Each structure stands twice: as structure tokens, then as C-alpha cells.
Amino acid sequence: MSLKSFAARLLAYKVHRDTQKWAQNPVATQQNVFRQLIAQAQQTAFGKDHHFDTIHSHADFVKQVPIRDYEQLKPYVDRVVQGEEHVLWKGKPLYFAKTSGTTSGAKYIPLTKESMPFHIQAARNAILSYIHETGKADFVDGKMIFLQGSPELESKNGIQLGRLSGIVAHYVPKYLQRNRLPSWETNCIDDWETKVDAIVQETITQNMTVISGIPSWVQMYFEKLVQVSGKPVGTLFPHFNLFIYGGVNYEPYRAKFEQLMGRKVDSIELFPASEGFFAYQDSQTEKGMLLLLNSGIFYEFVKADEFFTPNPIRYTIGEVELGVNYVLLLSTNAGLWAYNIGDTVQFTSLQPYRVIVSGRLKHFISAFGEHVIGKEVEEALRQAVEGTSVRINEFTVAPQITPKEGLPYHEWLIEFEQLPDNLNEFALKIDHAMRQQNVYYDDLIAGNVLRTVVITPVAPNGFQAYMKSIGKLGGQNKLPRLSNDRTIADQLPLL
């Protein structure tokens, strides 16, 4: 055992012990975070506008601070962007994480000196949690790669801005610098396809032990490695034993990944965003990710099916239930308040509190009142693929409201690596799994309002071509699993 791996095990034990302290006292931990946030923001413009000096309980907070998304918080954010101090949080932010907006163009999410350490700490602790549980630490002696956006930053009114993954690249600990790939120069390449080619050249001869990134873009990297080397990734990198991912569910990619790797590899799921690092997988045997209750974020939860009703109930951590689809609200030490990030979660455990990401509030299909969410389509596809030789590169689902003939239906647009022997039977498997999960969908099929699923094969690399056409190839960009219109479906090249 090397000195570095021995030290990693010692640190892993310490972090596990510290984590247990707050994980075993979740309500008190969140109450303490809430009190600190309100106290520290009392003298900000937002705090004064919302009378933070009179907020003594969550009930007070609910009365005085309405739920907001980015568009509704934007007047305050604009003041911060213009250089004004003490608006949403004390002082000025250290950075803005720049993300793609919808109606307002680019979004600028503040990162403060109080919030930034938690982004770094959570990523580190996810790995240390894995080490503590499994006892595996030898990978720290090998090379690690994190597929991410460019670390080059711009400046706006004296505040640096860039993609979150690029900002985080500036905080890689010194003890990991020698192990980390790709090089700074390669990381700064903007064109994703050129960048992946360069990463392949830099890593193909290295002792890679940890690979991290969004599955769809790591898959592209793996495919290039196999193409260049003629070997499975697991053979090319015999000590590669840990895959770290976030952003999307890994399950739809798992069969394809194992084919590219030639063997199974342990994985850790993360739940990071520009607005905060919310959860990470703390167990290889338990479902879900540990919700980080002691990271400068106060969480509220609204039942998704009640979210658009007047004055929906905002639950705190001690009031949530298993299996309910909740919209996640945040109040943070970066100055976001009762902020709706658009993600929905479900709790898989209440001791400790673990969650899965069930989808996006705006990514759903309910053209006929079926209320289908991302978790349901991913689970249906997983069940259909299980026990078969079918391999899938990517997929999305859209409603077909006005077919040329017959009843309307849900169209599953799938890029297959290996087609099913019988496409109709495969579609019926998906349909059966959907009906088992979603009673509204089941009623529509039974009532002859909808016909069963229709599968449309997408041309090879069709999803990559689509993402490239809209300027979102690579990095942290993710394809929506489903949508309530045909904006994506009608632009995909078909087989």
C-alpha cells in the first residue's frame, strides 16, 4: 500500500465519522443551516426587502419569501452582475457560473467564498465515502480524468465567470495535480470533438484509474479509445476501476458502457449543479444519493403534482415521505432564496436521507393528462433491455398528437447500438413497464385514447449531430429524456 492510499483511507474514516454526526441529526442540522443563512443575509438588499430580521421560523420564511425561479430572481441577479454589493448575499460573489438560459439568454449563478468550498468538498467526500465503504484506495496512485468544460474564465464587472466545471478545475488540490488529466491546454479546447481527440492522445498510454463525466460524453471518449487502440477500455486501462458521473441516469448507458469496457467497473453518482452540490452516492449497495444537509443549503420540497396550484405546501426535511415526486427548492449561502432549480427528486431512504433525481419539472409528457416523468421512461427502458442483447446509445420520448393514421401515441426515438430481434415486442415491453408505473398512462391506453408505444430508430450519431446543430455538443450539456412537444423529435435524423 502506498503512502498516498494509506493517507486516503485515514481521511476517508475521518470524513465518514464527521458525516455521520450531521446525517444522524438531519432536522437539527437543517434548522441550524436555516438560522445561519437568515442571520448572515439580514443586511442584504434581498434580506431587507423580505424582512429577514423578523423571520424566526420556517413558517415566517414561507410567508415572506415566495418561490422563485431564475427569471423571477433575475432583477436581483442583474444588480449583482452590474457590480452592486450586498444584494443577495453579503459582499460580492467570487464567480458567476454561466449556464444556458431559456427566455432570458445566459444565466449567471453566483458562487461566493462561503459556497465555493462545499462544491469542492462534496466531490472529494464522494470519493472518500467510496474508499471507506469498499476499502479500495489504490486508484489514488493512478491517473484520473474529469471530462469538463474549459477552465478559461472571463471577467464581468470585476467578477470572473465561466462554466461551473471550468471554475472547479481551478480548485484541484495540489496532491492530485500530478495525477490529473487532461492537460490545461487540452482542457481549454472549445470544440468538443477536437477536445476528445486530444484527450484520447494524452490518455491512451497512461495508467488511468478514475474517469469522470456525464455518461453520454464519456461514451464518446470511450468509443474513440476503442477505435484508436482496437481494445476494450477495460483492457487498455487494466487498473481503471472507478467511474464517477452525474447529470443523467447511468442505467440507460450501462449495457453500452460494459460492452465498451469489456468488464464491470464500480461507479459513483453525483448530484451537482451551478446552484450547489446537493448529493452523492454514499453506498454501493443502497439505492439513492446522500442528501447533503450540512453544506450551506436549506432545502424545501413541494409535491410535484401540487406545484402549480395556488400556495402549495413547502415541506422541510423532517416532513418528506418516501417515493413522492418533489420539486426541490433551495436557499443557499450564495444568495438563492426559495429557489426552484427545476429538478424533481424522490426519497429512497429517510435514515439517512437519500434521493434519486426523478426528472426535470419542465421535462415531462402530459399532452393527454398522463403526467409521465423522466424516471418512468428510464425505468421502462431498463426493464425492456434487461436480459436481452439490446444496446442503446441515446434516446428521447415525445408525444405524437396528430398521427397520419390511427390513435395518438408516445414516440420513443432511440439510437440503437444493437437492435432488438423484434422491434414490436420490444415496444410492448416498454409499454407494459410504463403502464405498471403510471396509472394515468394505463387509463389512456385502456380507454383507447392512446395506442401503445411506437419506436423510431435514430440514425447512428444522430443525437450527437442534433446537439452539435444547437451548439450543445459535449461539456455539461444534457439531452432531455422527454418533452411535451416535438421540437427535438422533428429535428433528429432517422434510420
Side-chain angles (χ1 to χ4, degrees):
M1 182 188 302
S2 71
L3 183 60
K4 185 183 285 188
S5 62
F6 178 72
R9 290 190 185 197
L10 290 178
L11 183 57
Y13 173 75
K14 179 183 183 302
V15 166
H16 173 75
R17 186 183 58 196
D18 292 345
T19 299
Q20 292 307 302
K21 289 178 183 177
W22 60 257
Q24 291 172 5
N25 296 280
V27 174
T29 297
Q30 276 285 276
Q31 287 175 341
N32 186 47
V33 170
F34 175 75
R35 285 192 295 267
Q36 288 180 9
L37 292 175
I38 296 300
Q40 292 183 73
Q42 278 190 21
Q43 299 306 311
T44 64
F46 189 94
K48 291 174 181 176
D49 290 347
H50 295 81
H51 308 290
F52 274 24
D53 59 334
T54 67
I55 293 177
H56 304 293
S57 66
H58 178 242
D60 294 337
F61 185 72
V62 169
K63 287 177 185 176
Q64 294 171 210
V65 182
I67 298 170
R68 287 179 170 93
D69 59 17
Y70 184 82
E71 307 304 326
Q72 293 161 323
L73 194 67
K74 190 172 181 292
Y76 286 100
V77 176
D78 285 346
R79 291 166 61 181
V80 182
V81 172
Q82 292 304 315
E84 187 177 339
E85 295 186 345
H86 311 300
V87 178
L88 288 164
W89 191 252
K90 55 192 180 183
K92 287 185 179 183
L94 287 178
Y95 304 96
F96 290 118
K98 187 177 180 181
T99 67
S100 301
T102 50
T103 59
S104 64
K107 293 164 58 176
Y108 297 94
I109 307 299
L111 298 167
T112 63
K113 67 178 182 180
E114 289 81 12
S115 71
M116 196 65 219
F118 287 108
H119 284 274
I120 312 306
Q121 185 183 88
R124 181 204 69 174
N125 288 357
I127 296 174
L128 291 172
S129 178
Y130 170 82
I131 291 173
H132 177 79
E133 182 190 25
T134 66
K136 299 174 183 177
D138 290 346
F139 64 84
V140 302
D141 296 313
K143 298 289 186 180
M144 308 178 186
I145 186 169
F146 301 89
L147 295 177
Q148 57 192 191
S150 171
E152 291 187 310
L153 304 179
E154 307 170 43
S155 183
K156 197 170 187 72
N157 293 320
I159 300 172
Q160 291 185 302
L161 66 93
R163 299 289 180 183
L164 175 66
S165 61
I167 293 170
V168 169
H170 291 260
Y171 286 82
V172 175
K174 287 184 179 179
Y175 62 84
L176 285 182
Q177 290 287 5
R178 286 186 299 174
N179 298 64
R180 185 177 178 276
L181 290 169
S183 65
W184 186 270
E185 293 74 20
T186 294
N187 233 357
C188 291
I189 296 173
D190 282 326
D191 180 75
W192 187 252
E193 290 169 300
T194 305
K195 183 173 187 169
V196 171
D197 286 338
I199 291 172
V200 167
Q201 292 305 313
E202 284 193 0
T203 58
I204 198 166
T205 60
Q206 299 296 319
N207 176 30
M208 304 303 302
T209 56
V210 179
I211 296 173
S212 175
I214 291 177
S216 50
W217 307 125
V218 174
Q219 179 179 318
M220 186 176 174
Y221 166 58
F222 281 178
E223 287 170 342
K224 295 259 186 175
L225 283 170
V226 172
Q227 180 185 342
V228 172
S229 71
K231 300 177 183 178
V233 175
T235 302
L236 181 65
F237 302 141
H239 299 114
F240 166 45
N241 287 307
L242 185 59
F243 173 49
I244 304 173
Y245 68 94
V248 298
N249 186 358
Y250 181 42
E251 289 308 315
Y253 301 94
R254 187 178 293 277
K256 173 65 176 176
F257 265 63
E258 290 180 358
Q259 181 250 332
L260 287 168
M261 294 185 293
R263 57 184 173 85
K264 293 187 177 182
V265 169
D266 285 351
S267 60
I268 303 174
E269 183 177 8
L270 310 178
F271 185 12
S274 300
E275 294 86 353
F277 202 125
F278 312 127
Y280 60 73
Q281 182 181 344
D282 68 319
S283 172
Q284 292 291 300
T285 58
E286 300 294 329
K287 185 179 181 182
M289 296 174 282
L290 182 70
L291 189 64
L292 304 180
L293 304 176
N294 193 33
S295 60
I297 302 171
F298 176 71
Y299 300 96
E300 296 174 277
F301 308 89
V302 176
K303 292 179 179 179
D305 57 5
E306 298 175 2
F307 187 77
F308 294 107
T309 62
N311 303 312
I313 298 173
R314 290 155 60 176
Y315 299 96
T316 56
I317 195 65
E319 301 168 312
V320 296
E321 305 170 60
L322 292 173
V324 175
N325 205 35
Y326 291 105
V327 178
L328 183 64
L329 305 180
L330 314 168
S331 296
T332 78
N333 55 7
L336 304 178
W337 302 102
Y339 184 84
N340 168 26
I341 63 168
D343 284 321
T344 58
V345 299
Q346 291 181 6
F347 284 88
T348 59
S349 166
L350 303 183
Q351 291 182 335
Y353 285 90
R354 294 193 181 99
V355 297
I356 59 169
V357 181
S358 52
R360 294 281 294 168
L361 189 60
K362 65 180 181 179
H363 294 166
F364 62 91
I365 299 178
S366 200
F368 308 92
E370 58 270 49
H371 309 296
V372 169
I373 62 174
K375 173 181 173 290
E376 292 167 347
V377 297
E378 290 177 336
E379 175 61 18
L381 190 61
R382 186 196 67 78
Q383 290 185 30
V385 167
E386 193 171 34
T388 74
S389 61
V390 176
R391 292 195 300 272
I392 288 166
N393 285 338
E394 192 60 274
F395 79 100
T396 193
V397 187
Q400 178 52 272
I401 299 171
T402 55
K404 292 180 180 177
E405 57 183 10
L407 293 172
Y409 55 87
H410 284 187
E411 183 177 18
W412 288 57
L413 298 111
I414 304 177
E415 183 184 324
F416 290 98
E417 173 75 16
Q418 177 68 48
L419 278 160
D421 294 331
N422 187 313
L423 206 58
N424 290 330
E425 285 184 8
F426 190 72
L428 288 174
K429 282 185 179 180
I430 289 175
D431 205 72
H432 175 74
M434 287 299 305
R435 294 181 71 173
Q436 292 291 109
Q437 294 181 89
N438 188 309
V439 65
Y440 304 108
Y441 181 79
D442 184 52
D443 287 345
L444 290 167
I445 296 292
N448 288 320
V449 176
L450 292 177
R451 61 172 148 142
T452 54
V453 159
V454 172
I455 294 177
T456 302
V458 173
N461 300 315
F463 284 98
Q464 284 186 20
Y466 166 72
M467 294 295 277
K468 188 174 183 179
S469 73
I470 61 171
K472 292 191 174 183
L473 182 67
Q476 305 304 111
N477 297 306
K478 296 163 287 207
L479 176 82
R481 280 283 169 251
L482 70 178
S483 47
N484 207 35
D485 58 41
R486 296 191 58 80
T487 302
I488 297 173
D490 289 341
Q491 295 185 63
L492 291 169
L494 305 181
L495 194 62

